[in-house]
Amino acid sequence: MKLAIFASGQGSNAQVLIEQAQAGTLGATIEILISDQLQAGALANAQQAGIEARAFSPKAFADKHAYEQAVLACLREHQVDALILAGYMRLIGPTLLAAYPERIINTHPSLLPAFPGKDAVGQALAAHATHAGVTVHYIDAGMDTGPIIAQQRVKVMPHDDHDTLTARIKAAEHALYPACVHDLMTVWSRSQ
Ligand code: GRF
């Protein structure tokens, strides 16, 4: 299968996915990395790995539909089968949802339904949660509400601050997310 990664930031998850795809252990190819941020570190990292990277600034379009239409044209040009969100800080709208039903997944740094939305790590620390975690889930029209594919607990240590907890959560994500993508490739390719 042919995948597109969507990332808005540094893209450490994107990087791991690209490395595994190139090593042949993901069971899919990464055709393109798409960002909504012109300066996203993920764009440069992807290019360095020889992956095409495209930025679309939502501000340059009349509305979300027009923005997603442009993104969709690019995805179709690259014959992309599924979308892998990795730190993409924007809700997926009806245009992309309709084009990729049950073919868009995300990783979120909490045990959903706990701490959805922005700064899940900060939310967990503020709530004095004993456990944080990672959730890989399908995307639907809501904010971090789609069906859950896999979860992993990450213990919150007494000395944890935002940086240390984020680092441990990301380490867990870097193993769980590619493993989920790999497993889904078998499931999805059967129903193609
Ligand atoms: C990850 O923690 C992911 O769960 C969340 O955004 C973060 C992106 O990190 N959706 P990175 O850009 O992949 O390092």
Side-chain angles (χ1 to χ4, degrees):
M1 291 189 87
K2 297 181 176 185
L3 306 178
I5 298 179
F6 281 49
S8 302
Q10 193 50 42
S12 68
N13 283 282
Q15 194 62 24
V16 173
L17 289 162
I18 289 169
E19 281 165 15
Q20 295 212 9
Q22 293 184 334
T25 53
L26 198 64
T29 57
I30 312 290
E31 296 299 313
I32 188 161
L33 183 138
I34 289 186
S35 186
D36 59 333
Q37 300 295 327
L38 305 185
Q39 304 302 328
L43 290 165
N45 289 343
Q47 274 164 346
Q48 231 165 28
I51 302 287
E52 187 171 342
R54 289 275 303 272
F56 294 85
S57 176
K59 284 190 216 121
F61 297 90
D63 54 23
K64 193 176 183 102
H65 175 66
Y67 163 72
E68 289 200 341
Q69 286 262 307
V71 171
L72 184 54
C74 175
L75 296 171
R76 293 217 160 116
E77 198 181 300
H78 288 80
Q79 301 181 315
V80 165
D81 299 306
L83 315 185
I84 310 299
L85 311 189
Y88 181 65
M89 302 301 285
R90 199 164 284 280
L91 274 180
I92 297 290
T95 310
L96 286 176
L97 278 173
Y100 288 96
E102 290 166 44
R103 290 292 180 278
I104 313 178
I105 64 168
N106 181 45
T107 176
H108 181 80
S110 79
L111 292 174
L112 290 171
F115 312 130
K118 284 195 179 148
D119 195 15
V121 175
Q123 292 183 57
L125 288 171
H128 302 290
T130 54
H131 284 88
V134 178
T135 301
V136 177
H137 64 100
Y138 282 99
I139 286 292
D140 64 10
M143 167 84 81
D144 302 322
T145 51
I148 290 172
I149 297 163
Q151 292 189 302
Q152 189 171 321
R153 274 172 170 247
V154 174
K155 204 169 163 32
V156 180
M157 302 297 190
H159 58 266
D160 263 335
D161 60 21
H162 200 283
D163 285 351
T164 58
L165 184 54
T166 298
R168 265 200 336 286
I169 288 174
K170 284 202 183 185
E173 276 186 314
H174 294 168
L176 185 67
Y177 205 22
C180 288
V181 172
H182 175 271
D183 289 352
L184 283 169
M185 289 311 108
T186 320
V187 179
W188 288 349
S189 57
R190 268 195 225 122
S191 56
Q192 253 198 329

